[in-house]
Amino acid sequence: MNEAQKNLAGYRLSEKLRIASKLVNPEDRFEILEDATTECPYNFAVWVDLEKAIKEPNLNKETVQNALLPVVLSQREKENKSSDIASEKIVTSECFGTTSRAMTDKHGNTAYCKQETADFEIDLEKPSTIQEIKFQWWGWSKPAEYDIYAMGEDGDYVLVKTHEDERVEGWFNHWSYLNGWDMKTTKIKMDLRKGKKDPWSGKNYFGIRTINLIGISYDILDDVSKGKPVSASVGSSDPDSLVDASNSTLWDAGENGWFEINLRQICALDDIEFFWADGEKPESVKVTYKVGSGQETEASGEDPFRTVPLEMDCGTTVKVEILGGNQVLKGVKACGVSYSTKDILKLKVNQAYEDFYYVRTHLTGSIDSMTYED
C-alpha cells in the first residue's frame, strides 16, 4: 500500500520481522508478527501471516495477552479524551436506507433521502457526553428545520437541540455546528423537515455527507468474573461456587485460604466485591492481579472487606489471599470491561485503516473468522 511506502524504515523492519517469524518455533510466531503490525500496520502481508499464526495449537494464551496489552492501554487512553464518538457507529433510517452508513463512516459517500420529511437514529453503544455536533450537508439539500433528541440512560428521548441553535458556515456542501449538552446519552435521533432538492438530480430533499459527534464515551461495567475458571487453596470447598452468581452456595476457605480467577480476557478492572456469609469476615484481604505473565499489582481492602478498588487497571487473572477471622463467602464479583483477543485485533486494524474502508472491512472480517478462543 502507498501508506506503507511513506514509512520505508518501518515497512522494512516489519518485513524483516515477518520473514524472521517463519524461522522460529510456531508458538513464537504470533508475538513477532504482532510486533511487525506495530512497526508498520500497513504491511498487509503481516496481517495475513498473523491470521495463520494465531491458529497454532501450542500458542500460549499468556503470550497473546502480553503482546496485545499495549493496544488495550492505547485504546483506553484514547477513550478518555474527546473524539468523534459517532465514527463507524450504526445509523438506522427508513428514509435514508442503506446510504445511512455514509453519515458516520470514513468513505466519503453521501446519505440522501427523497422524502419531504425524514428521521434517523445513531446508536452510540455506550453512555456518552456530547460536547459538539457537526454536520456537513450535501450540496444545498439541508433541512430548514430540524429537532435533535437524546436518549438518556433511562431509555427515554428528550429534545436537546433544534435548528435555531445551529451556526452555519458556507452555503454549498456547508457545515452546521451546535453545542452539546450535559446528559449522558446512549442514542441520538434527528427529525428533518423542509428540505431542499439537490442541484444535480432534483430528487433528494436531504443529503448528509458526514456527522461528527465530539465527546467522551464511558465504560459499561459488567461482572467479568461470572462463570470463569477458579483455582483455590488445598482444603477449601468448591471454588466454582465463588463465581456462580448464587447466594445458595458457599465457599469455605478453611484457614488462611486463597483463590485465583482466570478472567480469560484482558479486563480493565474497576473493583472486586466480596459477599461474605452472614456474620463472617476475615482479618485481612490482599488482592493481586496481572496481565498474562506480567508483573503483579497489589491492592488491599479495608474492614469490612466488601469492596477492593482496582482503579480500572488491566488484568487477566485476579488472586485473593484471605488471612484470619472467618473465611466463608457466598461469592465474589470482579467488575470491569473485558476485551477479547479478536476485539483487540480489530481495534488495532480500525486505528490503522481508519481512512481505508474496504481494507478495514476485509481485515476485520478475517479476524472474525479466526479459529481462536480466549
Side-chain angles (χ1 to χ4, degrees):
M1 291 181 65
N2 291 336
E3 294 299 314
Q5 302 301 318
K6 293 178 181 178
N7 179 13
L8 282 175
Y11 175 72
R12 288 168 180 158
L13 180 54
S14 73
E15 268 297 280
K16 291 175 183 177
L17 289 169
R18 188 176 72 87
I19 294 169
S21 72
K22 299 180 183 296
L23 306 177
V24 301
N25 293 327
E27 61 268 27
D28 297 325
R29 288 173 184 162
F30 177 87
E31 187 173 14
I32 295 173
L33 290 166
E34 205 285 328
D35 284 342
T37 65
T38 300
E39 293 297 334
C40 183
Y42 304 109
N43 187 344
F44 192 80
V46 171
W47 289 102
V48 174
D49 287 357
L50 189 75
E51 182 180 356
K52 299 174 184 176
I54 204 169
K55 297 177 182 179
E56 168 56 41
N58 293 323
L59 175 61
N60 191 316
K61 295 190 184 301
E62 288 188 344
T63 299
V64 176
Q65 294 163 352
N66 293 341
L68 295 181
L69 175 60
V71 183
V72 175
L73 295 177
S74 174
Q75 177 65 19
R76 292 199 59 78
E77 183 178 1
K78 179 181 177 182
E79 289 175 350
N80 288 330
K81 298 177 181 178
S82 296
S83 63
D84 180 12
I85 58 176
S87 179
E88 303 299 329
K89 296 300 191 297
I90 294 175
V91 183
T92 54
S93 171
E94 182 177 344
C95 172
F96 287 95
T98 57
T99 69
S100 298
R101 76 177 189 186
M103 298 183 197
T104 57
D105 70 20
K106 300 291 184 180
H107 195 52
N109 289 330
T110 298
Y112 50 84
C113 173
K114 298 179 180 179
Q115 299 176 14
E116 295 185 22
T117 60
D119 61 77
F120 62 85
E121 182 182 72
I122 304 176
D123 187 349
L124 302 180
E125 298 176 0
K126 295 180 179 181
S128 307
T129 51
I130 310 300
Q131 299 162 342
E132 184 183 27
I133 302 181
K134 300 190 289 186
F135 299 94
Q136 186 182 24
W137 309 100
W138 180 52
W140 54 51
S141 297
K142 174 188 179 298
E145 297 179 0
Y146 59 81
D147 297 320
I148 300 175
Y149 298 86
M151 179 183 288
E153 294 179 283
D154 59 1
D156 294 329
Y157 270 116
V158 295
L159 178 67
V160 288
K161 296 290 174 181
T162 74
H163 58 280
E164 295 179 351
D165 299 308
E166 72 176 358
R167 172 173 58 86
V168 180
E169 290 186 1
W171 64 274
F172 194 82
N173 287 336
H174 43 316
W175 287 84
S176 291
Y177 299 85
L178 300 96
N179 293 329
W181 52 90
D182 294 330
M183 181 183 71
K184 285 187 179 180
T185 302
T186 58
K187 292 182 180 181
I188 287 177
K189 183 174 69 172
M190 190 167 180
D191 292 340
L192 312 177
R193 302 181 299 278
K194 296 184 180 180
K196 187 174 183 180
K197 288 185 177 180
D198 71 89
W200 297 285
S201 69
K203 296 179 180 179
N204 301 292
Y205 283 92
F206 305 105
I208 301 175
R209 297 173 67 87
T210 190
I211 294 175
N212 303 135
L213 299 177
I214 308 303
I216 298 175
S217 294
Y218 298 90
D219 291 319
I220 300 176
L221 301 180
D222 197 7
D223 179 2
V224 297
S225 58
K226 183 178 179 180
K228 298 296 172 60
V230 186
S231 57
S233 52
V234 176
S236 64
S237 56
D238 180 14
D240 289 340
S241 63
L242 286 163
V243 293
D244 63 3
S246 172
N247 285 328
S248 62
T249 58
L250 298 175
W251 178 75
D252 190 339
E255 184 177 353
N256 297 337
W258 60 266
F259 62 87
E260 183 174 84
I261 308 172
N262 181 0
L263 303 174
R264 304 184 69 172
Q265 298 177 344
I266 297 177
C267 299
L269 298 166
D270 182 54
D271 60 34
I272 181 167
E273 299 178 44
F274 299 90
F275 303 93
W276 302 101
D278 295 341
E280 306 285 331
K281 71 171 184 175
E283 293 179 0
S284 69
V285 170
K286 184 176 78 171
V287 178
T288 54
Y289 53 96
K290 63 179 181 177
V291 172
S293 59
Q295 184 175 356
E296 288 186 342
T297 301
E298 181 178 324
S300 298
E302 296 181 356
D303 193 358
F305 310 110
R306 293 195 178 97
T307 302
V308 175
L310 303 179
E311 309 298 340
M312 295 306 288
D313 283 344
C314 289
T316 55
T317 58
V318 178
K319 185 175 182 178
V320 176
E321 298 175 71
I322 307 171
L323 299 176
N326 298 315
Q327 305 176 14
V328 181
L329 278 162
K330 296 179 181 179
V332 296
K333 181 190 294 185
C335 296
V337 181
S338 61
Y339 297 84
S340 72
T341 295
K342 290 183 180 182
D343 285 343
I344 297 169
L345 289 172
K346 286 190 287 186
L347 282 174
K348 194 166 189 177
V349 167
N350 288 332
Q351 290 171 5
Y353 292 92
E354 183 177 10
D355 297 324
F356 303 94
Y357 174 79
Y358 292 109
V359 178
R360 185 175 73 245
T361 302
H362 175 79
L363 285 174
T364 54
S366 297
I367 291 169
D368 280 329
S369 66
M370 287 180 177
T371 54
Y372 181 82
E373 293 185 9
D374 291 304

